[in-house]
DNA sequence: AGACTGAACGTTTTT
DNA sequence: CGTTCAGTCT
């Protein structure tokens, strides 16, 4: 069979993974070993061999970008044969299921999904009289909701109940609801669960280490008939614990799925030997992991380089100069960082040097004020009970409906148990200010007009009508400086143009509710600028990793939380994105809410950076990471202080176990920084 | 109601 | 530093 020729590209282990189609399989392997490639080839193999039809296959990912990339990869191999495969994030899968069955869990079909900003608004309005911070409260609420904590204080419980009630009333779900309601649907209606469990003959999960417990439950539900799960992952790349991911789930795979087959891949195809060496060095400092071998046949390559800078401008300029003087296309380069705030200086300097770039993620397109305004109108047309959207739309542009007026509307709505929109007309007779009454009438007329348009017009035409009928452009120009107004106008134009792809309003609202970034506005042949989180799963010939300072990477909040190992995994993920060249950059000072003096990241020391250069020699590799007097932790002997290091032998005075001499080649120690 | 002011404040990652 | 908030004025 000719179509199976693609299997020749794989090594023996990889092929074994592809060919093991029945039963639970886990591929546990380090970065760049071809896990995602194996997963996509396995999907292709199943279809080519006609083991199942495309609608019987599902592939789950954790980010939209990963889902998009996988769709693209599979389409390349299979063309239209792949069209009915479900390739989604967990959230998008749940949304797709719930759209079919919303009424069964107590929602109308046109429910909307609230993002963090919308959640904020609800929380803020609940606690507005209390002396609490909305961000902290929301975090705690969500931890409770996703069952990471078991109980709440009575005060928080009250807030939580109010929050849930509002969501329900507004016909809205948050991200967690998507998954919880799907679980509820499955348990209330076993026949629906059975339908999907039977439908999905083969279930694939990429980046399995990012699974949280609720997602794990969902998987279990979908596996009751066929039990064909194919999961790939790497606990060293687990970087989403803040949203509940627990890499113990991947480490427990064998226990969870009896007679599971575990396949280890050891050859890295992505990076040069030198890059891989640094990655292997640093990850060994983590204690909570399964030790893995990772080697490569790729050439030694260019030595990774550390860039030392006085400040972030020098950092950005150095990078710009390297890019400009290179013969490579712009798209070969990526600039990665721990926190979004670091992109600013890069952007400024790239603009100055006329280097084209895409900022991926970051201050998201959909989060800009003008875009959110328009989306509020569109969402409200789709679901007039969406009170959060109404609250935004009703007074943008200003119609004289301020806080006092809106409080009346809210009160009427609550008393009659109707939505804010339905309360507008009845509220009129309680409002005395002429201007406010006129404003509401204006809004009602406008909105009815828009509702009518929505019956016949495309999403794009509808958006144009909204802009026209609300005089939105004039509103911007009146209120903002010309510079900002132009920017906003351009954004609106871009947004409107991006609406071409939607056939109807439902498609649009559904799509933006789980999609956070606008892939449409990505330009070709550009340097990619993004956080390490966004870069996971991607690869670039040349990677610049910036902001390698203590308190940035590792981030100070993680250090406080005792989450150093996760920060180290982030560093590992970042390094392993590089195929050929790697630049590691830090600054002595940085502008971050005022100029700050910073210390070089401890991770640079861990990769063997000492006295201004990276040490490549093998034996001292191991010893240079500790020095006399360091505090270290041993998994058996506990905490101790280093007395002496000779070649690869380390002598430690342990607090509870006396003096020991250990071989650095075999022992795993964690350094504790004072 | 809304524009304007100065003070306070916050600082991680994403579906 | 830039954003947001509370308070004041029109
Ligand atoms: N057998 C192979 N022969 C040649 N190239 C391969 C082989 N397997 C994988 N590759 C290449 O190695 C690179 C990394 O593959 P892939 O992205 O699938 O790795 P991964 O294990 O998913 O990495 P990560 O864990 O970082 O996401 C890709 O460019 C892929 O094409």
């Amino acid at each position: 069979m000719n179509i199976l020729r693609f299997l020749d590209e794989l090594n023996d282990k990889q092929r074994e993974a592809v060919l093991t189609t029945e039963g639970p399989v886990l591929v546990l392997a380090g970065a760049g070993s071809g896990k995602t490639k194996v997963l996509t080839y396995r999907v292709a193999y199943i279809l080519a061999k006609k083991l199942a039809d495309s609608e019987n296959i599902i592939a789950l990912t954790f980010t939209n970008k990963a889902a998009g990339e996988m769709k693209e990869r599979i389409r390349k191999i299979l063309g239209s044969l792949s069209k009915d495969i479900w390739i989604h994030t967990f959230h998008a899968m749940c949304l797709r299921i719930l759209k079919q069955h919303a009424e069964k869990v107590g929602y109308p079909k046109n429910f909307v999904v609230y993002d963090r900003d919308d959640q904020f608004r609800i929380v803020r309005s609940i606690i507005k009289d209390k002396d609490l911070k909305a961000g902290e409260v929301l975090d705690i609420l969500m931890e409770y909701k996703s069952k990471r904590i078991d109980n709440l204080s009575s005060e928080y419980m009250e807030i939580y109940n109010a929050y849930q009630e509002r969501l329900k009333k507004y016909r809205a779900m948050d991200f967690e609801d998507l998954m919880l309601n799907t679980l509820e649907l499955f348990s209330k209606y076993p026949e629906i669960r059975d339908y999907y469990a039977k439908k999905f003959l083969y279930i694939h999960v990429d980046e399995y280490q990012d699974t949280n417990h609720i997602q794990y439950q969902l998987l279990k539900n979908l596996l009751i008939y066929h039990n064909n799960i194919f999961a790939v992952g790497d606990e060293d790349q687990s970087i989403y614990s803040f949203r509940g991911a627990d890499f113990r789930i991947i480490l427990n795979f064998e226990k969870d799925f009896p007679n599971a087959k575990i396949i280890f891949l050891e050859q890295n195809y992505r990076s040069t030997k030198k890059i891989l060496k640094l990655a292997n060095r640093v990850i060994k400092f983590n204690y909570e992991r399964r030790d893995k071998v990772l080697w490569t046949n790729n050439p030694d390559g260019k030595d990774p380089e550390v860039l030392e800078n006085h400040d972030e401008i020098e950092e950005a300029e150095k990078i710009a100069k390297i890019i400009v003087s290179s013969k490579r296309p712009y798209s070969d380069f990526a600039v990665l960082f721990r926190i979004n705030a670091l992109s600013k200086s890069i952007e400024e300097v790239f603009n100055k040097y006329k280097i084209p770039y895409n900022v991926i993620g970051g201050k998201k397109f959909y989060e800009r004020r003008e875009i959110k305004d328009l989306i509020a109108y569109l969402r409200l047309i789709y679901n007039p009970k969406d009170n959060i959207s109404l609250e935004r739309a009703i007074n943008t542009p200003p119609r004289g409906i301020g806080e006092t007026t809106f409080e009346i509307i809210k009160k009427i709505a609550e008393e009659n148990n109707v939505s804010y929109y339905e309360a507008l007309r009845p509220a009129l007779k309680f409002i005395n200010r002429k201007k406010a009454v006129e404003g509401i009438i204006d809004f009602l007329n406008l909105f009815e007009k828009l509702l009518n348009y929505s019956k016949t017009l495309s999403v794009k035409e509808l958006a144009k009508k909204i802009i026209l009928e609300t005089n939105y452009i004039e509103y911007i120009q009146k209120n903002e400086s010309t510079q900002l107004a132009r920017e906003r106008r351009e954004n609106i134009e871009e947004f409107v143009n991006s609406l071409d792809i939607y056939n109807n309003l439902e498609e649009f609202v559904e799509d933006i509710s789980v999609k956070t970034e606008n892939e449409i506005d990505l330009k070709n042949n550009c340097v990619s600028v993004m956080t390490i989180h966004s870069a996971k799963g991607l690869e670039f010939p040349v990677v610049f990793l910036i902001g390698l300072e203590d308190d940035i990477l590792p981030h100070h909040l993680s250090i406080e939380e005792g989450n150093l190992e996760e920060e180290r995994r982030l560093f590992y993920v970042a390094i392993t994105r590089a195929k050929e060249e790697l630049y590691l950059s830090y600054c002595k000072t940085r502008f971050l809410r005022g100029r700050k003096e910073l210390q070089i990241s401890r991770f640079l020391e861990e990769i063997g950076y000492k006295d201004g250069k990276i040490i490549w020699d093998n034996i001292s590799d191991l010893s240079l990471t500790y020095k006399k007097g360091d505090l270290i932790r041993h998994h058996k002997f506990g905490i101790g202080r280093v007395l002496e290091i000779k070649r690869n032998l380390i002598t430690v005075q342990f607090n509870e176990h006396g003096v020991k001499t250990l071989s650095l080649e075999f022992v795993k120690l964690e350094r504790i920084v004072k």
Side-chain angles (χ1 to χ4, degrees), chain A residues 9 14 32-37 237 269-270 537 539 577:
Chain A
E9 285 175 37
Q14 291 177 323
S33 55
K35 296 184 294 296
T36 307
K37 182 171 176 132
Q237 294 185 63
Y269 291 92
R270 178 183 293 144
E539 54 186 26
R577 297 312 95 199

Side-chain angles (χ1 to χ4, degrees), chain A residues 22-26 216 220 223 226-229 252-262:
Chain A
E22 309 309 305
V25 181
L26 170 69
Y216 173 75
K220 279 287 188 185
L223 284 165
H226 306 302
N227 204 32
N228 289 327
I229 179 173
N252 281 332
F253 192 88
E254 259 175 305
K255 275 189 226 128
D256 285 340
F257 299 96
N259 52 46
K261 181 160 191 170
I262 314 262

Side-chain angles (χ1 to χ4, degrees), chain A residues 95 112-113 115 175 178 379 508-515:
Chain A
L95 180 64
V112 291
V113 178
D115 65 13
F175 285 117
L178 289 172
R379 285 214 302 202
F508 166 77
V509 174
E510 209 172 290
D511 202 45
I512 56 151
S513 46
V514 287
K515 214 178 223 132

Side-chain angles (χ1 to χ4, degrees), chain A residues 249 510 526 533 542 648:
Chain A
I249 293 176
E510 209 172 290
C526 282
H533 283 89
V542 185
N648 64 342

Side-chain angles (χ1 to χ4, degrees), chain A residues 524-542:
Chain A
N524 283 328
N525 193 24
C526 282
V527 178
S528 298
V529 176
M530 68 186 112
T531 63
I532 302 170
H533 283 89
S534 307
K536 188 152 66 125
L538 307 181
E539 54 186 26
F540 301 91
V542 185

